Amino acid sequence: MNPSPSLSIGAVARQTGLTVPTVRYYEEVGLLPAAPRTESGQRHYGEAAVRRLVFIRRCRDFGFSLDQVRELVGLADQPDRPCVEVRDIASVHLTEVRRKLLELQELERSLAGFVSSCDTACAGGAAFDCTILEDLALPVDYARVLQRGGCCAAQLAGPPRARRSGTKA
């Protein structure tokens, strides 16, 4: 039986689309087993490490947190554990992604309101008269926003105010 090929950290990084510092980091935080080293101290990886790094990279591409990746790696390492454990991790992440999507949609509405207000009230004039700059300078009741369970920029911005033509702040 031939041993798996020995790959340098640079070769592994190129194959997985990661950077060398990222490969080292995943090793440092325990997501990737420490690579054996040559007499000169260079790390050398086998195909199992490449597969593990591809798995980690894909998890991160899907936005899983490092803690979630750690759980998923643990489940992958113990194939007899129930699939429902994997599904539960993915389900929690899906809920978080959907929450973030709602925040982004709210942010989009606020920004669209800012742009529309500017188009209507002041576009073409001096920056001093811009409704966007005026709206961004309005104070926000952060305690109220956070009490409602919010923290996204759209909630902090509030609705843009229409400005009377010809008035200056």
Side-chain angles (χ1 to χ4, degrees), residues 13-29:
R14 282 188 297 279
Q15 282 188 22
T16 59
L18 298 169
T19 65
V20 168
T22 300
V23 174
R24 285 188 194 118
Y25 174 73
Y26 289 151
E27 194 174 307
E28 287 172 23
V29 298

Side-chain angles (χ1 to χ4, degrees), residues 64-83:
F64 286 100
S65 70
L66 281 178
D67 287 339
Q68 290 169 323
V69 173
R70 190 177 315 284
E71 290 180 70
L72 291 167
V73 164
L75 289 164
D77 286 345
Q78 299 173 32
D80 292 338
R81 292 197 33 206
C83 170

Side-chain angles (χ1 to χ4, degrees), residues 2-168:
N2 290 340
S4 66
S6 181
L7 302 167
S8 71
I9 193 168
V12 167
R14 282 188 297 279
Q15 282 188 22
T16 59
L18 298 169
T19 65
V20 168
T22 300
V23 174
R24 285 188 194 118
Y25 174 73
Y26 289 151
E27 194 174 307
E28 287 172 23
V29 298
L31 289 175
L32 180 67
R37 293 181 182 253
T38 64
E39 286 182 22
S40 63
Q42 288 186 319
R43 294 172 168 94
H44 278 274
Y45 299 89
E47 288 303 314
V50 172
R51 281 192 305 279
R52 168 72 61 99
L53 287 167
V54 167
F55 178 82
I56 293 167
R57 168 76 191 258
R58 295 277 295 147
C59 289
R60 298 295 285 154
D61 287 347
F62 275 92
F64 286 100
S65 70
L66 281 178
D67 287 339
Q68 290 169 323
V69 173
R70 190 177 315 284
E71 290 180 70
L72 291 167
V73 164
L75 289 164
D77 286 345
Q78 299 173 32
D80 292 338
R81 292 197 33 206
C83 170
V84 71
E85 292 182 48
V86 177
R87 194 254 354 247
D88 288 348
I89 294 167
S91 179
V92 165
H93 185 56
L94 177 61
T95 298
E96 180 65 14
V97 166
R98 286 177 173 157
R99 184 191 62 73
K100 287 178 183 177
L101 253 171
L102 290 173
E103 283 187 3
L104 285 172
Q105 289 168 340
E106 195 173 321
L107 180 60
E108 177 190 31
R109 281 190 296 276
S110 290
L111 286 170
F114 281 170
V115 170
S116 176
S117 172
C118 180
D119 285 343
T120 303
C122 61
F128 177 81
D129 291 327
C130 183
T131 59
I132 296 172
L133 295 178
E134 183 179 302
D135 287 335
L136 289 173
L138 292 174
V140 174
D141 183 353
Y142 290 98
R144 182 181 53 80
V145 170
L146 294 173
Q147 185 178 38
R148 290 187 319 184
C151 65
C152 88
Q155 291 172 320
L156 297 175
R161 295 185 305 130
R163 183 183 207 173
R164 289 182 302 206
S165 158
T167 60
K168 294 185 179 179

